[in-house]
Amino acid sequence: MTTTLPDKTLLLDDIAGLRAAAQFVREHDSVALLPLLLPGLDGPDLQALAGHCRFAHAGLLLFPPDTDSLRAQFAACGLDVDTPSHPSVVVRDRLARRHGRDPAELDVRILRPRVYGSAGQRRAVEVFALAVPPHSGLEPIAAYERTRRHEAHLAFEVERPEPLALRGLCAILVRHGARPDGGGYNPHEDGTVLYFTLPADAACDYGRLELYARGDHRDTLAAHLDHPDRFDSPRPDARPGARQPAETLLHLLTGAWTTQALAAFARLDLPDAMDTRTAQRTEDLARATGTHPRSLATLLRYLAMFGAVAEEQEGFRLTELGALLRADTPGSMRPLALMYGGPFYRSFGGLDHAVRTGQPAFDQIFGENHFDHFARDPQLASLFDQSMAASSRMFRPLPTHPVITGAAQAPAAAPATVVDVAGGNGELLGLILTAHPRLRGVLLERPHAVEAARRRLDAAGCGPRCAYRSGDFADVPPGGDVYVLSRVLHDWDDDRCREILRHCARAMPAHADLLVVERLLPGDGSPSLATAWDLHMLCNVGGRERGADHYARLLADAGLELVGHSPLPLDAHVLHARRAGAPEPVLRRT
């Protein structure tokens, strides 16, 4: 029998690359490395990335002829030869797409032998290993990948990977020249990877960067994979690029299906019947929810594409994203799903009317305006209030705003008062009063909303410190220290906004501050939730989103001056305004 030895030159190439990767990991740290990868990165963006991301490993793809050869390569580089291996779903699928192969042909393993940084930091070299026996049909893949080094990358692990923080980190990378380049969720280790191509002028031999987040973050992953600047090569001879135009358009045209699938998921109470840890058989779920088993499986397979559920061998499991549609989850987004799949879904069917006439499609579809329609239907009004509360993530940081904390800490004989104008069900006011026990509150709303707010604030223990006013914008109560308009002005055209702001200005004492919470349209045309909501407001209420300069003009017309604005979650901002010409107070009140 003749034994064919592998090409020693190729083995040496793999060993040299592995040794260089281990040395690189030992010598670098996050703060020094990030500006090399993203030239020009400094200031708050560098602090945000370095503060949330830990340099974890350098990764490379090797092609040993067999397992024993890989162990020998590890030994030659001083790495642990007994490092365990696991299947690498992400790299396997990338290779399959790039080379037009069946993923089942590619047994890609992932190993992470430990390497320690100069100060003893625990790191690793991430090795993807595809066994390529001599003269096998996989040799062309090995030759191509060794030349291109597509999978060579540097990885940063995101500490405390909250969804909003993870999206913010991705945005910083893109802003500094990194471009989305695929990724995936690995169920074997319950981790999500997001790949980026580094800028051409990066001072480093590695061309790609990976963000690694423990857990299932397929909602963030879906946005990452759909980013217009992403790279994703379907075959070796193709320039990395996005989907073909027809495929992209087809995905866009079927977006309405996704809205209804998520709404049906919520209406059928499926999220409440499912478990986030254990997969359940379709038949059992169908029995528990009174649904048709085969049809339910069709719905769940569709939702699995978007990360609301995960399909496993035993059945379907609810993901972190899907759990947001549970009725009893804190911050549940179920009411939003029911609104977007219900009244607002119907109104968007008349979007062409809104664009043609400038009048809300909602009024044409339902025969009356959005506010009157909801006020006449207690169940719908309650659902709308709940849907507004489901978006409360955007104003959770507001109690720490300097205007609020300044009012709470002012050395005054009487407690300062926060007036929430059109404050809905009291979600925001309750948040502020809970954070600052010295503050008092006044909530102005329509009668049906006042009762709902009273119940909420009483339940939160804030009721004794809160007064209520039933009325319209003309009834803004005078004498407050801080006035809040949260997600109000975008409901109205410019003339009505000026009128609302004038009512506020007349009620505000000279020392008072006004905080306006809205999404701001970006000045550079970059993607933003504000752009989407601009269309939503046109279609449903006849309002609009605006840029900071636009709000500054409206405030000036009402005798107010924009002092500044700062970002909030979900692409929102808080704008701070005061009476025009009012002196900046040394102490808020005496």
Side-chain angles (χ1 to χ4, degrees):
M1 183 175 71
T2 302
T3 301
T4 304
L5 295 175
D7 186 327
K8 291 185 178 180
T9 303
L10 295 183
L11 281 181
L12 288 174
D13 284 347
D14 279 357
I15 291 174
L18 185 57
R19 184 175 289 117
Q23 188 63 24
F24 191 95
V25 171
R26 293 186 184 102
E27 293 177 350
H28 292 84
D29 59 41
S30 298
V31 175
L33 182 55
L34 283 165
L36 298 178
L37 307 181
L38 303 166
L41 177 69
D42 58 10
D45 282 352
L46 174 58
Q47 293 173 16
L49 284 174
H52 287 83
C53 302
R54 176 182 62 85
F55 178 41
H57 67 254
L60 71 167
L61 176 59
L62 303 180
F63 301 93
D66 51 43
T67 302
D68 287 342
S69 296
L70 181 63
R71 290 168 62 88
Q73 291 174 0
F74 276 30
C77 297
L79 302 174
D80 184 0
V81 299
D82 294 320
T83 301
S85 73
H86 306 281
S88 175
V89 175
V90 176
V91 173
R92 179 202 67 188
D93 291 349
R94 286 171 63 88
L95 287 174
R97 285 196 303 272
R98 234 175 359 245
H99 296 274
R101 306 296 283 262
D102 182 348
E105 296 180 72
L106 309 176
D107 181 19
V108 181
R109 311 296 295 183
I110 182 170
L111 305 91
R112 295 192 182 94
R114 290 183 190 172
V115 175
Y116 292 91
S118 58
Q121 307 98 321
R122 186 170 172 173
R123 296 177 182 156
V125 175
E126 184 172 75
V127 175
F128 303 110
L130 172 62
V132 179
H135 310 301
S136 74
L138 299 179
E139 285 186 327
I141 295 179
Y144 175 85
E145 294 293 334
R146 277 196 176 99
T147 303
R148 304 303 196 280
R149 299 184 77 233
H150 279 305
E151 301 305 329
H153 67 274
L154 300 174
F156 294 79
E157 182 170 350
V158 180
E159 299 176 333
R160 303 179 302 279
E162 295 292 331
L164 287 173
L166 186 56
R167 290 196 180 213
L169 296 173
C170 291
I172 292 174
L173 290 171
V174 171
R175 191 157 60 242
H176 288 276
R179 305 184 71 178
D181 187 20
Y185 170 69
N186 190 336
H188 299 286
E189 58 182 39
D190 189 29
T192 304
V193 293
L194 306 168
Y195 287 122
F196 296 82
T197 296
L198 291 170
D201 57 348
C204 174
D205 289 335
Y206 291 85
R208 299 174 67 241
L209 179 147
E210 171 196 317
L211 282 188
Y212 177 82
R214 296 186 185 278
D216 187 343
H217 299 279
R218 276 180 278 190
D219 52 343
T220 303
L221 176 64
H224 177 77
L225 296 177
D226 268 345
H227 195 283
D229 287 336
R230 78 188 186 282
F231 282 114
D232 194 3
S233 297
R235 59 185 189 279
D237 60 343
R239 177 194 175 276
R243 295 184 183 116
Q244 293 298 315
E247 183 185 357
T248 299
L249 183 59
L250 195 57
H251 277 270
L252 295 172
L253 288 171
T254 58
W257 303 354
T258 307
T259 302
Q260 282 301 331
L262 289 168
F265 188 53
R267 282 193 294 262
L268 294 167
D269 297 323
L270 282 159
D272 300 275
M274 296 181 70
D275 191 79
T276 56
R277 297 176 300 277
T278 306
Q280 295 161 270
R281 297 189 318 138
T282 307
E283 293 79 3
D284 297 335
L285 285 172
R287 209 166 21 250
T289 57
T291 53
H292 182 256
R294 185 181 64 77
S295 303
L296 176 59
T298 300
L299 172 64
L300 293 175
R301 276 196 301 271
Y302 181 81
L303 291 172
M305 293 197 304
F306 304 99
V309 300
E311 185 172 10
E312 299 177 358
Q313 188 172 2
E314 300 83 3
F316 291 92
R317 174 179 59 82
L318 189 68
T319 65
E320 180 186 11
L321 183 153
L324 289 173
L325 294 175
R326 281 179 164 170
D328 59 352
T329 296
S332 170
M333 298 181 77
R334 183 177 187 271
L336 280 174
L338 300 182
M339 288 297 300
Y340 294 158
F344 291 152
Y345 189 87
R346 287 183 60 193
S347 65
F348 259 91
L351 178 60
D352 54 343
H353 168 80
V355 173
R356 187 180 298 115
T357 66
Q359 301 301 313
F362 192 101
D363 299 26
Q364 184 200 38
I365 300 293
F366 292 96
E368 58 186 335
N369 71 55
H370 163 286
F371 300 104
D372 290 342
H373 185 74
F374 285 1
R376 286 195 310 100
D377 186 332
Q379 286 187 322
L380 197 55
S382 175
L383 180 62
F384 177 70
D385 286 341
Q386 293 172 44
S387 71
M388 292 291 284
S391 298
S392 64
R393 289 171 179 81
M394 71 164 54
F395 53 61
R396 281 178 185 167
L398 202 62
T400 63
H401 191 283
V403 163
I404 301 291
T405 57
Q409 297 167 4
T417 299
V418 176
V419 179
D420 194 354
V421 179
N425 65 356
E427 179 88 9
L428 173 56
L429 188 57
L431 197 67
I432 293 172
L433 297 183
T434 300
H436 300 289
R438 289 192 65 227
L439 290 178
R440 301 188 65 82
V442 179
L443 184 134
L444 172 69
E445 253 297 356
R446 290 185 173 192
H448 76 276
V450 164
E451 292 310 310
R454 191 189 302 273
R455 290 191 296 271
R456 173 178 286 275
L457 289 163
D458 283 347
C462 305
R465 290 187 285 129
C466 194
Y468 305 89
R469 300 285 186 273
S470 295
D472 205 339
F473 294 114
D475 304 306
V476 175
D481 300 284
V482 180
Y483 288 75
V484 178
L485 281 170
S486 176
R487 298 177 293 174
V488 171
L489 297 181
H490 73 162
D491 288 335
W492 307 99
D493 62 24
D494 284 0
D495 287 341
R496 182 62 163 149
C497 284
R498 291 186 188 95
E499 185 181 346
I500 293 168
L501 290 170
R502 287 183 183 120
H503 287 310
C504 291
R506 278 194 291 270
M508 290 168 59
H511 70 271
D513 297 279
L514 171 66
L515 298 180
V516 176
V517 177
E518 296 287 358
R519 289 188 171 96
L520 296 182
L521 288 172
D524 59 0
S526 57
S528 167
L529 287 174
T531 305
W533 256 257
D534 199 20
L535 190 68
H536 174 71
M537 304 315 292
L538 165 69
C539 189
N540 285 285
V541 298
R544 59 185 298 184
E545 305 294 347
R546 299 169 173 89
D549 290 346
H550 195 152
Y551 278 117
R553 292 193 298 272
L554 294 177
L555 289 162
D557 290 344
L560 298 166
E561 181 180 6
L562 179 62
V563 177
H565 59 87
S566 53
L568 294 172
L570 300 180
D571 277 359
H573 282 74
V574 53
L575 297 96
H576 173 204
R578 307 192 77 242
R579 295 275 292 273
E584 192 66 30
V586 177
L587 295 177
R588 178 164 305 278
R589 299 188 307 151
T590 59

